[in-house]
Amino acid sequence: FYGGVSLWQLLTGDAQRGATVELPALSVHDQPRYAWRGFMLDSARHFQSTDFVKRLIDAMALHKLNVLHWHLTDDQGWRIEIKKYPKLTEVGAWRVPPGPAAAADIDPATGKPRVYGGYYTQDEIRDVVRYAAQRHIEIVPEIDMPGHAQAAIAAYPELGTGEKPGVSVDWGVHTYLFNVEDSTFAFIENVLDEVVALFPGKYLHVGGDEAAKDRWQASPAVQARLRSLGLKDETALQGWFLERLETMLEKRQRKLIGWDEILESALPPEATVMSWRGTKGALEAARKGHDVVLSPAPQLYLNNLQSLADGELPARLDALVSLQNLYGFEPTPPELTADEARHVLGAQGNLWTEHMRTEAMIEYAVFPRMAALAEFDWSPVGARDWKRFVQRLPAQFERYRALGIGYADSAFRVQATADGTQGTLAAQGKEGQI
């Protein structure tokens, strides 16, 4: 399959569409550097159509990426149909858009603000999973636990700690966590049964991040459970929660993977860590013998601003993640020994969609960044060269145009300023010249 992709790249290496292409007789000896060459799509904050997800899978295949991490549940939406619990999508998949204008947009039929959202039926998910498998892409679903659970608790308040929230309108770290009752673990088991039946891959992502413990601390029932288990604090309780999840997944022939907060408590040795808070989590995980996927913020967060050029689309302003900075990322931390480095499965770019309501915005944020991500996930360190990468981008842009993929050219947009006192014009490209 990847040999076919390489041939397609060779045949489309001329940026001029319709140009005659002559290839010499040759042999290509090539293999990927990493087993996990990933991209994460957040469909919880804003819902995308299955057609768009398939187009994204096509693009991933043509970049030789092989893992789609699909973020399907969060405080702002539950996007996967669970037949045993229909309210998860009847309630949890719909919310009022953020902002005062949306709150004031009253639906005359209900007398309440209009809601929007959506979810994927199980038949749609099977279709997307089959489509991805044909392109050698494994889909790793994420069902966030114990935090980022407000949409689920809005649908079934008994899963929380006594409150009855709505599906969240706003972003940020929320404090609604699943409780630790046996009835809630029965709910989780039932959900996992339906999820693993839809996703045949090896991994299931359980989140584990940003689980603010305020409501656990204030809940008499949670505190009583903590004491009965002999645990010292809520962090240890989350570790106990994760151990139960790992047991459930092992029984279903799946491996647990979670964000690096899962390292804060006792972690089952089989668990895989996705390091997002820099590379510290990757170092700790690898040294403890856990497999790890590098996905650090801000370097691999594609929802960060990518240039200071005029006309940039909305994005997080925490950091400027330019194409050149992204291309220079090295997935294997140099601090690791050779034995520890064997635990590095690869790297993954994350696209969080809080500020990206449309599919066009997503394409703008992802391309051509996906090309940079693909190159450091596939190629040996010595084969990577920023100047050569820039020289190959015109042909890549032509491929994008031919495939109908929107992309950002802001990394090369000229920034011009006029100095009226000296009558001169200064122009500078941000990262290179084509």
Side-chain angles (χ1 to χ4, degrees), residues 73-333:
T73 73
D74 214 298
D75 299 307
Q76 295 79 21
W78 184 285
R79 305 296 179 201
I80 175 173
E81 179 189 23
I82 302 297
K83 293 185 182 294
K84 193 174 183 68
Y85 301 103
K87 289 183 181 179
L88 287 172
T89 47
E90 291 173 0
V91 175
W94 308 93
R95 64 178 174 84
V96 178
D105 182 18
I106 304 300
D107 184 349
T110 64
K112 299 178 180 179
R114 298 179 196 273
V115 295
Y116 94 119
Y119 65 92
Y120 304 102
T121 68
Q122 293 197 0
D123 284 343
E124 287 174 327
I125 288 176
R126 288 189 190 94
D127 180 50
V128 171
V129 169
R130 181 169 52 248
Y131 190 88
Q134 291 170 347
R135 288 148 183 82
H136 301 274
I137 291 172
E138 177 180 335
I139 299 184
V140 176
E142 181 177 353
I143 309 297
D144 236 321
M145 295 177 276
H148 287 290
Q150 186 169 333
I153 296 170
Y156 294 97
E158 63 270 23
L159 299 173
T161 50
E163 304 84 358
K164 296 182 179 180
V167 179
S168 178
V169 173
D170 301 313
W171 323 127
V173 178
H174 297 8
T175 57
Y176 292 98
L177 272 61
F178 287 117
N179 64 42
V180 289
E181 299 298 321
D182 288 338
S183 57
T184 296
F185 285 104
F187 162 85
I188 292 171
E189 290 228 51
N190 291 332
V191 168
L192 291 179
D193 280 338
E194 296 194 32
V195 172
V196 299
L198 296 170
F199 296 94
K202 181 191 302 184
Y203 294 93
L204 193 145
H205 203 299
V206 301
D209 64 312
E210 298 179 332
K213 307 299 191 297
D214 306 54
R215 295 180 191 274
W216 273 7
Q217 292 168 347
S219 167
V222 171
Q223 290 301 307
R225 189 65 182 269
L226 189 155
R227 289 191 295 272
S228 72
L229 293 169
L231 300 173
K232 65 176 182 177
D233 57 22
E234 291 76 19
T235 298
L237 184 61
Q238 181 171 340
W240 172 83
F241 192 108
L242 288 169
E243 285 180 1
R244 290 195 66 164
L245 289 183
E246 198 280 330
T247 300
M248 294 178 192
L249 291 174
E250 185 178 9
K251 186 170 66 175
R252 292 163 175 81
Q253 290 81 51
R254 297 294 187 276
K255 292 192 67 172
L256 182 150
I257 183 170
W259 303 108
D260 58 51
E261 283 95 331
I262 66 177
L263 285 164
E264 294 172 0
S265 53
L267 188 62
E270 302 82 6
T272 299
V273 175
M274 187 167 280
S275 184
W276 76 274
R277 295 178 299 176
T279 59
K280 181 180 177 182
L283 296 173
E284 181 182 350
R287 286 167 179 163
K288 289 182 175 180
H290 295 288
D291 286 345
V292 63
V293 176
L294 275 292
S295 190
Q299 300 100 311
L300 300 192
Y301 272 43
L302 307 186
N303 48 299
N304 278 294
L305 194 67
Q306 57 186 312
S307 87
L308 299 177
D310 295 335
E312 278 295 317
L313 294 181
R316 288 181 66 104
L317 305 178
D318 305 45
L320 178 66
V321 180
S322 70
L323 187 61
Q324 185 171 7
N325 289 342
L326 179 66
Y327 185 83
F329 180 74
E330 168 50 36
T332 300

Side-chain angles (χ1 to χ4, degrees), residues 1 10 39 53 57 63-64 137 160 185 200 213 283 337 363 413 432:
F1 180 84
L10 290 168
F39 172 77
V53 176
I57 288 169
H63 287 77
K64 301 183 182 178
I137 291 172
F185 285 104
K213 307 299 191 297
L283 296 173
T337 67
E363 287 189 337
R413 202 175 302 153

